[in-house]
């Protein structure tokens, strides 16, 4: 039936039901009008709720992003603090352990110092008594006489030097006086000669002036005319010369301007080309910048998502670690830092995205990186002694059935701690792997009853592992020879000298044995001394010992570990008695997968893997949960590192691009300015070319007239000079003679002044010498008298000294025993003083070392305390931030319902529009409508939002739908609207 036919059919049904339909419509309208207010309010509430939810989502997402970064930073700080605390505690213990010895050293030094001071006091008393018995009169008299003689000797020497100095000065002055007298005589003679020359010059100057005056009388009548003609000729010549100079300069200027104009034209063309290229480069740079920014936004979005996941994964990992630690009875922990974990995977895990294949060329790089981190790990981790284990006495060469599993459980626990932290699954200790390890130990002991286990093959063909013993154990336990892996650690459990007087047991109890196992594991893992980590790869099943599944690289093949502990009886070795110890890690990987070329079948009838020996990490699933969580952290951390690298690379590229844009923008501005300046300057130069060209033409035009004027004035002057040649020549000669005579007179006058000046200077010099010579003669006479007196006193002093010395020698000869005793006492006193000084130095050094150690111990104790507070604060911060992240995540999750309802509302609004359109065709398609029906059609009530199955969706449709539903009573499917009758609830604004 066509739509038109359907509408007509409905119209007929409406007319047929008349007044009943009208009454029914009125009832429905009242209910719908009441419900309309409810739906309107619900619509407004939902819109408001969605806006609030959107705002909450934005705020929560921002806070989650910020908190995620804060959690990561705080976790990093926490790890640093925990590692620092471990190091500080170890250093504190070490520092405190040194205090007793250092304090004892102080006490010992103090005792020695007191004894030295006591000895010194005794010797000082004895020395003082001896010196009191000694009479110093004769000795003092000698000293007094010696001092007197010494002073007089010095006085005589001083006076002798002074007399000699005065005599030398007198000689110099006498020579100077003779020279000055000669100079005065010479200067006087020179002055007399100069005066004669001056008189002669004065006479010549007077005669020349008289001759010039006579010639001047004939020259005066023609002087003005001659000067005028001469001036005209000189002016004409100068004008011509100036015009020629101006013309040459102007022509050069014009050529320079033309060259400059050509250069500016080239500059304009070149700059325009550079400007065009720069604009093109700028457009490309901006496009590159836009693309890079868009890519950065996308990568940043990915990074934010990964950071959020990483934060959750770390929290999950930490919870798993806490659960694992709470279940563990083992007090000894081995902590692997993220830095070592990352570097180890880089060099040993060929499944790691950052894996670097080892080569001899990059070996130094690997050793440097892993070596520094391994040293840090070794120093950070420490064995925790156990009092109960110390009470458990053991015999290394007769370990019991119960002691080997206990030691194995401890060792496998340490291994699994490391594996779980490095993203590997825990290995299993089974009855089969324990038996295999024990068999290896048994055959090792058989091959090496009296030599070091590290000697390897019995026949000496190789050292290290005893593959004969290992392969024999493999075969007996159902595994092909050469298919076992592992690591070895060799030491001794007993040592003594050949006589057995000095002996010691390194391993006496279970605590000692576990300590050695701990040493073995940590040295395998952190072997920075030898720069070797192949044994560490065996511990974590990487590199050559990789246990990754052949087909599925996300899975690991079943792996079984056991610790082989062997010891031989004490025997003579290297000049002493030694009991050797060996601890081997024996590993078996079950990779029996069809198609795997490296697989090696295991005979499980001989190798029991069903009976698992529980270790701390096997008591529950905590180890597996922690390993999975650590793997997830490693994966996300790898993704984060990759994204961080991309972000850094993009940021660097964006910075470079922005710098490129800035540089190009500046270049364009500079080129635009340069182009405008070049064009302006070019216009100016072209104007100057026009002006200079015009000036050159003018100078060329003036040249002939200036030449003619020069020639005319020169001929006029020449004619005048010929007509008056005699007068002009006489005048010029007389003038020249007068000038020469005046110059000669000036020279003679100056020579006289100079001669008089030199004569006066030498006369003054001579007078000064005579005065100084008189003073030196008087000084010399006085010094001679003083020297004579001093020599007389010197002779008396020598006689006094000889007498005093004789008296002293007589006293010494009669008191020799006393003097020897004093000398001996003085020597002993010096030795005691030196002993006190040495003891004081030793005491000061011991005291300083003790105080420094005590201060360092206190400092480290305070550091541990501060780190404890920092760790507690970080843990609280992480807990608070994690709770807030969870809360904000829940807010976003809850708001999804609001967004879903809003989306449904929008969809239903569009759907209701389709309904209204269809109902418009229904309600107004008839030609005749009853009165009640027409009234109902003018009202637009909202109906209840409550829907029933297969009922019309009462979602706020207009009165046309109400009219149709109430009066017609027809199925909508009969008019082509059957899709409205559904099970889905819909709402409409």
């Amino acid at each position: 039936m066509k739509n038109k036919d359907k509408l007509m059919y409905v119209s007929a049904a409406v007319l047929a039901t008349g007044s009943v339909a009208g009454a029914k419509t009125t009832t429905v309208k009242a209910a719908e009008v009441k419900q309309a207010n409810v739906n309107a309010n619900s619509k407004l509430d939902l819109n408001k709720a969605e806006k609030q939810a959107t705002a909450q989502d934005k705020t929560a997402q921002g806070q989650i992003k910020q908190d995620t970064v804060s959690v990561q930073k705080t976790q990093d700080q926490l790890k640093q603090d925990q590692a620092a605390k471990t190091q500080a505690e170890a250093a504190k213990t070490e520092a405190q352990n040194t205090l007793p010895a250092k304090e004892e050293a102080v006490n010992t030094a103090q005792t020695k110092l007191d004894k030295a001071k006591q000895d010194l006091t005794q010797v000082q008393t004895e020395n003082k008594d001896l010196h009191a018995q000694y009479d110093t009169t004769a000795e003092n008299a000698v000293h007094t006489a010696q001092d007197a003689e010494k002073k007089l000797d010095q006085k005589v020497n001083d006076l002798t030097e002074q007399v000699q100095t005065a005599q030398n000065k007198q000689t110099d002055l006498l020579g100077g006086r003779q020279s000055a007298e000669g100079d005065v005589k010479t200067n006087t003679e020179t002055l007399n000669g100069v005066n004669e020359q001056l008189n002669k010059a004065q006479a010549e100057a007077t005669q020349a002036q008289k001759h010039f005056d006579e010639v001047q009388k004939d020259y005066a009548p023609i002087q003005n005319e001659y000067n005028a003609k001469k001036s005209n000729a000189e002016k004409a010549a100068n004008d011509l010369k100036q015009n020629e100079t101006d013309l040459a300069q102007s022509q050069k200027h014009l050529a320079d301007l033309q060259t400059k104009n050509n250069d500016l034209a080239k500059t304009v063309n070149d700059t325009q080309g550079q400007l065009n290229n720069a604009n093109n480069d700028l457009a490309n740079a901006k496009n590159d910048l836009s693309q890079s920014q868009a890519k950065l936004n996308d990568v940043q979005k990915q990074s934010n998502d990964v950071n959020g996941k990483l934060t959750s994964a770390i929290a999950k990992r930490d919870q798993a670690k806490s659960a694992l630690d709470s279940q563990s009875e083992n007090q000894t922990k081995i902590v692997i830092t993220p830095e070592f974990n990352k570097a180890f995977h880089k060099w040993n895990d060929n499944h790691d995205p950052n894996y670097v294949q080892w080569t001899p060329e990059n070996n130094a790089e690997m050793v440097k990186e892993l070596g520094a981190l391994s040293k840090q790990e070794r120093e950070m981790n420490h064995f925790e002694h156990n009092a109960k284990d110390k009470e458990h006495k053991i015999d290394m060469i007769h370990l019991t059935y119960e002691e080997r599993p206990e030691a194995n459980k401890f060792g496998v626990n340490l291994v699994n701690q490391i594996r779980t932290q490095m993203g590997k699954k825990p290995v299993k200790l089974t009855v089969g792997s324990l038996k295999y390890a024990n068999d290896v130990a048994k055959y090792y002991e058989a091959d090496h009853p009296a030599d070091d286990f590290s000697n390897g093959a019995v026949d000496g063909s190789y050292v290290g592992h005893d593959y004969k013993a290992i392969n024999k154990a493999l075969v007996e336990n159902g595994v092909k020879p050469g298919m076992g892996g592992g690591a070895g650690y060799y030491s001794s459990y007993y040592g003594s000298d050949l006589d057995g007087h000095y002996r010691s047991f390194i391993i006496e109890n279970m605590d000692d044995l576990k300590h050695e196992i701990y040493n073995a594991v940590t040295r395998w893992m952190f072997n920075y001394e030898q720069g070797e980590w192949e044994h560490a790869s065996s511990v974590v099943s990487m590199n050559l010992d990789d246990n990754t599944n052949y087909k599925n690289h996300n899975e690991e093949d079943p792996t079984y570990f056991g610790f082989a502990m062997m010891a031989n009886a004490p025997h003579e070795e290297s000049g002493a008695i030694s009991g050797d110890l060996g601890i081997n890690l024996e590993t078996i990987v079950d990779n029996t997968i069809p198609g795997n070329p490296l697989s090696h079948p295991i005979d499980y009838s001989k190798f029991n893997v069903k009976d698992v020996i529980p270790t701390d990490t096997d008591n529950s699933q905590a180890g597996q949960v922690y390993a999975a969580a650590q793997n997830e952290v490693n994966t996300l951390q790898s993704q984060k590192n990759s994204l961080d690298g991309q972000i850094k690379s993009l940021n660097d590229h964006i910075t470079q691009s922005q710098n490129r844009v800035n540089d190009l923008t500046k270049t364009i501005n500079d080129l635009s300015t340069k182009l405008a300046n070049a064009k302006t300057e070019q216009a100016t130069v072209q104007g100057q070319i026009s002006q200079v060209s015009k000036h050159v033409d003018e100078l060329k035009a003036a040249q002939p007239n200036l030449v003619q004027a020069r020639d005319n004035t020169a001929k006029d002057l020449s004619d005048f000079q010929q007509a008056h040649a005699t007068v002009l020549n006489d005048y010029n000669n007389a003038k020249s003679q007068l000038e020469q005579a005046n110059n000669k007179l000036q020279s003679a006058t100056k020579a006289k002044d100079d001669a008089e000046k030199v004569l006066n200077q030498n006369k003054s010099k001579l007078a000064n010498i005579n005065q100084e010579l008189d003073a030196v003669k008087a000084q010399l006479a006085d010094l001679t008298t003083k020297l004579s007196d001093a020599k007389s006193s010197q002779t008396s002093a020598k006689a006094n000294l000889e007498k005093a010395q004789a008296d002293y020698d007589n006293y010494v000869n009669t008191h020799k025993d006393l003097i020897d005793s004093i000398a001996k006492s003085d020597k002993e006193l010096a030795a005691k003083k030196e002993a006190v000084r040495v003891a004081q130095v030793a005491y000061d050094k011991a005291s300083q070392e003790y105080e420094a150690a005590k201060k360092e111990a206190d400092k480290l104790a305070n550091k541990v305390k501060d780190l404890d507070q920092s760790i507690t604060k970080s843990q609280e911060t992480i807990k608070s931030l994690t709770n807030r992240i969870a809360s904000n995540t829940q807010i976003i999750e809850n708001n999804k319902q609001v967004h879903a309802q809003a989306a449904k509302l929008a969809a239903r609004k569009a759907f209701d529009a389709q309904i209204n359109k269809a109902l418009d065709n229904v309600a107004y398609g008839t030609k005749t409508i009853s009165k009640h029906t027409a009234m109902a059609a003018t009202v637009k009530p909202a109906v209840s939002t409550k829907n029933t199955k297969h009922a019309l969706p009462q979602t706020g449709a207009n009165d046309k739908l109400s009219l149709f539903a109430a009066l017609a009573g027809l199925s909508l499917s009969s008019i082509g609207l059957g899709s409205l009758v559904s099970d889905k609830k819909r709402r409409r604004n």
Side-chain angles (χ1 to χ4, degrees), residues 46-47 50 897-907:
L46 186 56
N47 288 339
E50 185 184 17
Q897 299 179 3
V898 178
H899 296 311
Q901 292 175 356
K904 289 180 180 179
L905 181 62

Side-chain angles (χ1 to χ4, degrees), residues 106-172:
V106 172
N107 295 334
T108 302
Q110 179 68 62
T111 302
K112 291 181 179 179
L113 177 60
D114 293 341
K115 179 67 168 56
K117 287 181 177 180
Q118 182 180 357
D119 293 344
L120 175 61
T121 301
Q122 182 179 354
V123 172
Q124 283 176 331
T125 302
E126 295 173 353
N127 184 264
K128 184 178 179 181
D129 293 340
L130 287 171
H131 276 279
Q133 300 174 31
Y134 180 76
D135 186 359
T136 60
T137 302
E139 184 177 359
N140 292 339
V142 171
H143 292 322
T144 301
Q146 287 175 338
D147 291 341
E149 183 193 34
K150 184 177 180 182
K151 290 179 180 179
L152 285 170
D153 288 344
Q154 183 64 44
K155 184 175 183 180
V156 168
N157 291 336
D158 293 343
L159 287 171
T160 301
E161 290 178 0
Q162 292 174 15
V163 168
Q164 184 62 47
T165 300
Q167 289 174 342
N168 293 340
K169 186 174 184 182
Q170 184 182 41
T171 300
D172 292 341

Side-chain angles (χ1 to χ4, degrees), residues 152-164 167 779-795:
L152 285 170
D153 288 344
Q154 183 64 44
K155 184 175 183 180
V156 168
N157 291 336
D158 293 343
L159 287 171
T160 301
E161 290 178 0
Q162 292 174 15
V163 168
Q164 184 62 47
Q167 289 174 342
Q779 181 188 16
L780 185 60
D782 181 62
L783 288 173
T784 302
T785 301
K786 290 181 178 180
L787 177 60
S788 177
D789 295 340
K791 286 182 178 179
S792 177
S793 299
Q794 184 184 36
T795 301

Side-chain angles (χ1 to χ4, degrees), residues 299 354 636-647:
V299 175
N354 299 317
L636 290 170
Q637 186 64 53
S638 176
Q639 294 176 8
K640 179 181 182 300
N641 294 340
S642 175
L643 291 170
D644 288 345
Q646 294 180 48
I647 290 172

Side-chain angles (χ1 to χ4, degrees), residues 401 404-406 408-410 412 416 427-435 438 561 608-619:
Y401 177 79
R404 288 186 181 276
E406 180 179 352
N408 264 268
K409 289 167 65 176
F410 174 82
V412 172
N416 282 338
V427 297
K428 293 180 179 180
L429 173 64
T430 68
V431 170
S433 65
L434 176 60
K435 178 181 180 301
N438 290 340
F561 278 16
N608 183 350
V609 297
K610 294 182 180 180
D611 296 323
V612 177
I613 300 173
T615 63
D616 285 349
T617 51
D618 295 328
N619 287 336

Side-chain angles (χ1 to χ4, degrees), residues 15-316:
L15 290 174
T17 53
S19 60
V20 177
K24 190 173 183 180
T25 300
T26 302
T27 303
V28 173
K29 178 185 74 174
E32 291 175 348
V33 170
K34 180 178 181 181
Q35 186 64 34
N37 294 327
V38 176
N39 285 339
N41 291 332
S42 298
K43 174 192 71 175
L44 294 174
D45 290 343
L46 186 56
N47 288 339
K48 182 178 179 181
E50 185 184 17
K51 289 181 179 179
Q52 290 176 346
T54 301
Q56 286 178 345
D57 289 349
K58 184 176 181 181
T59 301
Q61 289 168 348
Q63 189 63 54
I64 288 174
K65 180 180 178 182
Q66 180 181 345
D67 288 348
T68 300
V69 174
S70 297
V71 167
Q72 183 63 48
K73 289 181 178 179
T74 308
Q75 287 174 335
D76 292 342
Q77 184 62 47
L78 177 60
K79 291 176 182 177
Q80 293 176 6
D81 289 346
Q82 288 172 335
K85 178 188 174 184
T86 301
Q87 293 178 346
E89 285 179 332
K92 181 190 73 173
T93 301
E94 183 178 353
Q96 289 175 339
N97 289 340
T98 64
L99 287 179
K102 292 184 181 297
E103 186 176 15
E104 179 61 26
V106 172
N107 295 334
T108 302
Q110 179 68 62
T111 302
K112 291 181 179 179
L113 177 60
D114 293 341
K115 179 67 168 56
K117 287 181 177 180
Q118 182 180 357
D119 293 344
L120 175 61
T121 301
Q122 182 179 354
V123 172
Q124 283 176 331
T125 302
E126 295 173 353
N127 184 264
K128 184 178 179 181
D129 293 340
L130 287 171
H131 276 279
Q133 300 174 31
Y134 180 76
D135 186 359
T136 60
T137 302
E139 184 177 359
N140 292 339
V142 171
H143 292 322
T144 301
Q146 287 175 338
D147 291 341
E149 183 193 34
K150 184 177 180 182
K151 290 179 180 179
L152 285 170
D153 288 344
Q154 183 64 44
K155 184 175 183 180
V156 168
N157 291 336
D158 293 343
L159 287 171
T160 301
E161 290 178 0
Q162 292 174 15
V163 168
Q164 184 62 47
T165 300
Q167 289 174 342
N168 293 340
K169 186 174 184 182
Q170 184 182 41
T171 300
D172 292 341
L173 288 171
L174 288 173
R177 182 175 67 178
Q178 183 179 358
S179 176
E181 288 173 344
D183 290 340
V184 168
K185 180 180 178 181
T186 300
N187 295 150
T188 301
E189 293 172 352
T190 299
L191 180 60
N192 292 336
V194 169
N195 284 331
E196 291 178 1
Q197 294 294 326
L198 177 60
N199 293 335
K200 183 180 179 181
Q202 287 176 339
E204 290 176 354
T206 301
Q207 182 62 33
Q209 184 64 48
K210 182 178 180 180
H211 177 65
F212 179 78
D213 293 341
E214 292 175 354
V215 172
Q216 178 71 21
K217 294 177 182 179
D218 296 332
Y219 177 72
I222 67 171
Q223 182 177 2
N224 291 336
E225 184 177 2
Y226 174 70
N227 290 338
K229 290 183 181 295
K230 184 179 179 182
S231 177
N232 290 337
E234 290 175 349
K235 182 178 183 304
N238 290 334
D239 289 345
L240 176 61
K241 184 176 181 182
Q242 183 63 45
N243 191 75
E244 290 173 344
T245 301
D246 291 346
L247 178 60
Q249 292 176 348
S250 297
Q251 287 175 332
K252 183 178 183 304
H253 188 199
L254 179 61
D256 292 342
L257 287 172
Q258 289 172 341
T259 300
K260 187 174 183 180
N261 183 59
N262 294 336
D263 293 341
L264 287 170
K266 184 175 183 303
T267 299
V268 169
N269 292 334
D270 291 346
T271 305
Q272 185 63 58
Q274 294 172 6
L275 185 60
N276 294 338
N277 293 335
N279 280 319
N280 292 334
D281 292 343
L282 179 61
N284 294 334
K286 287 183 175 179
N287 183 54
D288 177 65
L289 181 62
S290 177
Q291 293 177 353
S292 297
Q293 188 61 57
K295 187 174 181 180
L296 175 62
N297 294 337
D298 180 59
V299 175
Q300 187 67 59
K301 182 179 179 182
Q302 297 178 41
S303 178
N304 293 339
D305 180 59
V306 169
N307 282 336
K309 292 179 179 178
L310 179 59
T311 300
S312 299
I314 289 174
K316 181 179 176 182

